[in-house]
Amino acid sequence: MSQKILIVGAGFAGVWGALGAARVLERAGATAGDVDITLISPKPELQIRPRMYESEPHLMAAPLLPLLDAVGVNYVEGSVDQISVHDKTVRVTTASGESNLRGYDRLLLTSGSKLNRPPIPGLARYAFSVDCMEDASALEAHLKELAKRPDSNARNTVAVVGCGFTGIEIATELPKRMRALFGPNAAIKVVIVGSQADIGPDLGPNPRPFVAEAFESLGIEAVLGSPVISVDADGVKTASGVHIEAQTVVWAGGMRASTLAAQVSSRLDPLGRVEVSSDLRVADALHVFVAGDVARVRSDDEGHDALMSCQHAMVMGKFGGHNVAADLIGAPMLAYSQPFYATCLDLGEWGAVYSEGWDRQIKLTHAEGKTRKQMINTQWIYPPAPNRADALAAGDPLASFG
Ligand SMILES: Cc1cc2nc3c(=O)[nH]c(=O)nc-3n(C[C@H](O)[C@H](O)[C@H](O)COP(=O)(O)OP(=O)(O)OC[C@H]3O[C@@H](n4cnc5c(N)ncnc54)[C@H](O)[C@@H]3O)c2cc1C
């Protein structure tokens, strides 16, 4: 009887994990039927989360069935709601609502993350987000609906709450998107609201002057240093008493790992990620490996941890896929390592700022930065062509990124 590898989640870690696992089997000469690899996710597509701040978010997905077929990976459309590491089973609710149990010999958990939504009054009801395709599409539909309403300050204003990477990218993209919908002469206003004193608290000093320059040129206002305490249909209020009148509020308050992480380990970091060492194996469930936003792991020898980011999820996914298959067939595992780190922050019509290293040495800005961002967003983070050779090569953990 064949042995079973299950991969839960078809994000960046899950898709490249499937390729990494299939590559190990190919290289070991495992014949069809020795080992089954099955990927489970709610839809047979890779949703390109890093592009959800752009217009037309419903187009930001790549089909997966031809690719999985090319490398011999099975696909199940459904959602995993329970994992029993003791019984080595997962409970899957399929698209048609049926619930069934599936056994595994090895599990790779890559169920990603979700926007953190704290219990701030009105947030769940009134705030939009760009966390996933469904949320980003709801924001787009709302903006289109607003375009039919009479011109007013509240209609023309968006409050973006959260000034990390996602908050900055959606805030700087909105002026162009709103002008396209409301007309070139509408007095559009974008206000970014942050609880800390700086824009992009985690960005460090190097990119910040460019973000400030972009805000200035795009007319984006910043209200900093006080948290939002309530959201309603008319806007947001901060703890310091500022009220921003806005018919659109976008919440960008950070991400938390999928709650499935807590079902495979008790060793979680404050973001809900499973703490693992470089083999990506869960210490308290040895048949389980994790990768992507559900994993907290060192990425280099200088003490940096992988971030909740697509660049880390893709590479970690390849290592996770390699190790889950290698462990099953008794081949050598690999230690995850990803010393190269780059950041490319989109700044709307101003351009983008691209930096390398954890101290973010600036390499490209303005239009040159934008060209790099477009290359990343339209090519580098998309799956390979659905032919076996290219797809298996893309699963090589030791091949360079980009
Ligand atoms: C607006 C925005 C901009 C971003 N910009 C950047 C950027 O510029 N650069 C960068 O590196 N990163 C960026 N990120 C972060 C990046 O998108 C994530 O870090 C990345 O998607 C993580 O990949 P992942 O595979 O771990 O998880 P995800 O991409 O979240 O994929 C998780 C997968 O698991 C599936 N899943 C979830 N729960 C279950 C379940 N119970 N059962 C079955 N399947 C399940 C999901 O449907 C999905 O297929 C951005 C994110 C957002 C929202």
Side-chain angles (χ1 to χ4, degrees), residues 8-13 40-42 49-50 78-80 110-113 130-131 166 169 255 260 292-293 308-311 313 373:
V8 177
F12 297 92
I40 306 175
S41 76
R49 281 178 81 195
S79 193
V80 169
T110 60
S111 49
S113 61
V130 290
D131 187 51
T166 303
E169 288 195 324
M255 302 194 285
L260 291 179
D293 283 4
M308 284 180 155
S309 80
C310 141
Q311 68 181 294
K373 184 71 178 181

Side-chain angles (χ1 to χ4, degrees), residues 39-215:
L39 181 71
I40 306 175
S41 76
K43 283 193 176 171
E45 60 187 23
L46 171 67
Q47 297 197 351
I48 311 292
R49 281 178 81 195
R51 298 192 67 182
M52 292 303 161
Y53 64 94
E54 297 182 39
S55 61
E56 305 205 88
H58 61 284
L59 300 178
M60 305 306 177
L64 288 178
L65 294 182
L67 177 68
L68 297 177
D69 204 34
V71 294
V73 172
N74 307 308
Y75 178 76
V76 170
E77 186 163 335
S79 193
V80 169
D81 36 54
Q82 211 166 18
I83 300 173
S84 168
V85 295
H86 181 259
D87 298 338
K88 291 200 259 171
T89 57
V90 302
R91 196 176 69 206
V92 186
T93 302
T94 63
S96 59
E98 286 162 31
S99 182
N100 56 60
L101 280 186
R102 277 184 170 261
Y104 64 81
D105 295 287
R106 294 291 181 283
L107 181 74
L108 176 60
L109 181 66
T110 60
S111 49
S113 61
K114 280 200 167 142
L115 179 66
N116 181 36
R117 290 184 169 88
I120 294 172
L123 190 141
R125 174 152 184 210
Y126 295 105
F128 291 89
S129 95
V130 290
D131 187 51
C132 59
M133 188 181 283
E134 202 182 8
D135 290 7
S137 299
L139 171 64
E140 174 128 306
H142 168 77
L143 292 173
K144 285 182 175 163
E145 188 54 37
L146 281 188
K148 298 178 198 157
R149 293 193 202 162
D151 197 4
S152 73
N153 178 54
R155 182 202 75 152
N156 293 339
T157 304
V158 178
V160 174
V161 187
C163 51
F165 290 70
T166 303
I168 292 171
E169 288 195 324
I170 180 66
T172 50
E173 186 71 4
L174 275 167
K176 181 180 77 181
R177 288 178 61 181
M178 290 165 75
R179 269 198 305 276
L181 292 169
F182 298 179
N185 300 321
I188 56 140
K189 190 158 119 184
V190 176
V191 184
I192 191 162
V193 189
S195 56
Q196 299 190 41
D198 288 319
I199 288 286
D202 298 329
L203 265 183
N206 292 339
R208 235 179 249 134
F210 297 100
V211 177
E213 189 187 307
F215 276 19

Side-chain angles (χ1 to χ4, degrees), residues 98-387:
E98 286 162 31
S99 182
N100 56 60
L101 280 186
R102 277 184 170 261
Y104 64 81
D105 295 287
R106 294 291 181 283
L107 181 74
L108 176 60
L109 181 66
T110 60
S111 49
S113 61
K114 280 200 167 142
L115 179 66
N116 181 36
R117 290 184 169 88
I120 294 172
L123 190 141
R125 174 152 184 210
Y126 295 105
F128 291 89
S129 95
V130 290
D131 187 51
C132 59
M133 188 181 283
E134 202 182 8
D135 290 7
S137 299
L139 171 64
E140 174 128 306
H142 168 77
L143 292 173
K144 285 182 175 163
E145 188 54 37
L146 281 188
K148 298 178 198 157
R149 293 193 202 162
D151 197 4
S152 73
N153 178 54
R155 182 202 75 152
N156 293 339
T157 304
V158 178
V160 174
V161 187
C163 51
F165 290 70
T166 303
I168 292 171
E169 288 195 324
I170 180 66
T172 50
E173 186 71 4
L174 275 167
K176 181 180 77 181
R177 288 178 61 181
M178 290 165 75
R179 269 198 305 276
L181 292 169
F182 298 179
N185 300 321
I188 56 140
K189 190 158 119 184
V190 176
V191 184
I192 191 162
V193 189
S195 56
Q196 299 190 41
D198 288 319
I199 288 286
D202 298 329
L203 265 183
N206 292 339
R208 235 179 249 134
F210 297 100
V211 177
E213 189 187 307
F215 276 19
E216 170 93 28
S217 88
L218 298 168
I220 293 169
E221 296 173 25
V223 173
L224 300 172
S226 181
V228 161
I229 53 164
S230 68
V231 183
D232 61 30
D234 298 323
V236 298
K237 274 194 198 120
T238 70
S240 59
V242 176
H243 178 251
I244 298 156
E245 190 190 28
Q247 285 183 1
T248 309
V249 176
V250 179
W251 177 255
M255 302 194 285
R256 289 290 176 276
S258 153
T259 53
L260 291 179
Q263 296 196 26
V264 301
S265 179
S266 55
R267 299 175 202 198
L268 303 181
D269 79 350
L271 298 176
R273 301 180 295 179
V274 181
E275 311 239 20
V276 282
S277 52
S278 61
D279 58 8
L280 304 175
R281 187 204 285 268
V282 177
D284 32 13
L286 294 177
H287 298 103
V288 181
F289 293 74
V290 290
D293 283 4
V294 286
R296 179 182 182 161
V297 61
R298 278 279 144 92
S299 64
D300 63 17
D301 294 334
E302 287 169 16
H304 297 112
D305 287 338
L307 299 178
M308 284 180 155
S309 80
C310 141
Q311 68 181 294
H312 288 108
M314 285 167 75
V315 176
M316 218 193 290
K318 298 182 200 187
F319 279 91
H322 179 99
N323 286 354
V324 80
D327 186 46
L328 185 64
I329 65 170
M333 294 204 282
L334 292 171
Y336 166 71
S337 168
Q338 189 174 1
F340 179 76
Y341 170 60
T343 314
C344 198
L345 190 62
D346 204 344
L347 295 170
E349 287 176 307
W350 179 90
V353 59
Y354 170 76
S355 63
E356 291 182 357
W358 290 88
D359 57 349
R360 299 204 172 85
Q361 295 293 325
I362 305 299
K363 300 290 178 189
L364 301 169
T365 64
H366 299 84
E368 283 182 332
K370 193 74 162 189
T371 303
R372 176 62 58 95
K373 184 71 178 181
Q374 281 163 347
M375 197 183 298
I376 294 170
N377 270 8
T378 61
Q379 295 177 37
W380 292 2
I381 60 175
Y382 276 73
N387 70 67

